[in-house]
Amino acid sequence: MKRLFLLISLLVLSKFSAQTWATEDQYIQKFAKYAVEEMEKYKIPASITLAQGLLETGGGQSRLALEGKNHFGIKCKEDWTGKSMKHTDDAPNECFRVYDDPKQSYEDHSVFLATRKYYANLFTLDQKDYKAWAHGLKKAGYATNPRYANILIGKIEKYKLYEFDDISSKEVQFAVLKKYPDLKNDRAFMASIEPAKVISKEPITVKVPYKPTSYAQQQKRVENIKTQAEILSSMIIKTHPNGGLRYVVIPEDINLQLVADKFKIPEVKLAKWNDLNNTYLRKNDILFLESKNSDGNTPTYKAESGEDMHDIAQKFGVKLSKLYAKNRMNEGQKPATGQLIYLIDKKPRN
């Protein structure tokens, strides 16, 4: 009887171990692409991001990963306005962010590191020095486990994740296929690889002009990314006096798509709600996160010097088309300085 129990136990343990190994391999196969894409945008080593994902999710099997698509255990914090879930971590029933797609979790993880001042020193490290990054994360207080850095390094070296630090997002799926040849039988994975271009048999010589400022340009792009992340993190949702509409004030010039991504709202909706004809927002612009009202919260307003009807529509949370109609004005017509603008009732006929 004891022998039978021992045999069953060994079989169960064997199956569990195999599943754990397979799960971590499958996690790498599925999410290496996201890690490399984030590396290109934020200069965080793909090996570090992937190892953190593996560790935080238990190979993709944690409750946060399965139910909340949260792969890095990022808590709500005061600036989170999206969906959330309760989960016991450092304390009972803590608030954690919930995403619609794991890709959003990877992006948020990058923004989290790039915009917190206590992680700033990480971005002075060699992007390919995964050991320095692992110890830097621990030193900055990312995790309380005293072995955190060594655990990350162990994951990276066990699965040779450092190989992903040397490739581009266009090459990553081919690298995964090389690492896991059996994936050639996986139709879904193979469909994610772009068809290889036909290569000419004749040798082609390509002249690449030397650009002495290319490194400076690259650094400038990195700084731009960091600046954009800082701008996004500083946006605070406010409520407008006209019916409590949610809006933000744009702190610096920025592209609408970045704001749309931050608040998980389609760009086309933001453009429609705010009567925008372009996708570039300027400092101090008012941007509503929901559809504006048909009426204002005050009867009239005197137009100030330099204001157009769009400025007034944004100031009072009124749809631009309704504002033109109330004031018997044609689309594109500008008000004169001091002109009385009607916000609730229609302007009387002369």
Side-chain angles (χ1 to χ4, degrees), residues 312-327:
I312 298 170
Q314 294 302 98
K315 182 180 286 188
F316 289 96
V318 180
K319 294 175 182 178
L320 184 57
S321 61
K322 297 291 184 181
L323 198 61
Y324 278 126
K326 289 177 188 295
N327 290 275

Side-chain angles (χ1 to χ4, degrees), residues 31 33 53 78 96 175 193 215 220 232 264 284 300 309:
F31 299 109
K33 187 173 187 293
E78 65 282 352
F96 284 84
I193 300 180
Y215 178 75
K220 187 176 181 180
L232 291 169
K264 310 296 186 296
N284 294 327
T300 57
M309 293 296 277

Side-chain angles (χ1 to χ4, degrees), residues 38 51 58 97 104 125-126 179 240-241 252 258 272 298:
E38 292 306 306
R97 301 182 181 190
Q104 296 171 344
L125 302 173
D126 184 343
K179 192 177 184 70
H240 197 278
E252 297 290 343
L258 295 173
K272 181 180 179 181
T298 188

Side-chain angles (χ1 to χ4, degrees), residues 10-113:
L10 288 172
L11 286 172
V12 171
L13 287 172
S14 175
K15 183 177 180 181
F16 179 80
S17 299
Q19 181 59 41
T20 301
W21 174 267
T23 298
E24 295 206 323
D25 280 329
Q26 289 164 2
Y27 187 92
I28 295 167
Q29 293 165 15
K30 189 169 184 178
F31 299 109
K33 187 173 187 293
Y34 293 167
V36 173
E37 288 173 346
E38 292 306 306
M39 177 177 67
E40 290 182 337
K41 290 187 289 185
Y42 293 93
K43 311 306 174 186
I44 301 168
S47 58
I48 286 290
T49 302
L50 206 48
Q52 285 187 289
L54 274 170
L55 180 60
E56 299 274 358
T57 66
Q61 300 305 302
S62 70
R63 176 172 175 259
L64 283 177
L66 294 174
E67 296 180 22
K69 297 180 177 60
N70 185 335
H71 284 229
F72 299 93
I74 298 181
K75 297 176 183 178
C76 294
K77 303 293 183 183
E78 65 282 352
D79 59 344
W80 180 247
T81 60
K83 292 181 287 187
S84 63
M85 64 184 286
K86 298 295 184 182
H87 180 70
T88 298
D89 187 42
D90 297 324
N93 292 324
E94 291 182 283
C95 182
F96 284 84
R97 301 182 181 190
V98 170
Y99 305 94
D100 295 324
D101 187 279
K103 186 178 179 68
Q104 296 171 344
S105 176
Y106 270 74
E107 171 80 18
D108 208 18
H109 169 263
S110 298
V111 172
F112 184 84
L113 292 183

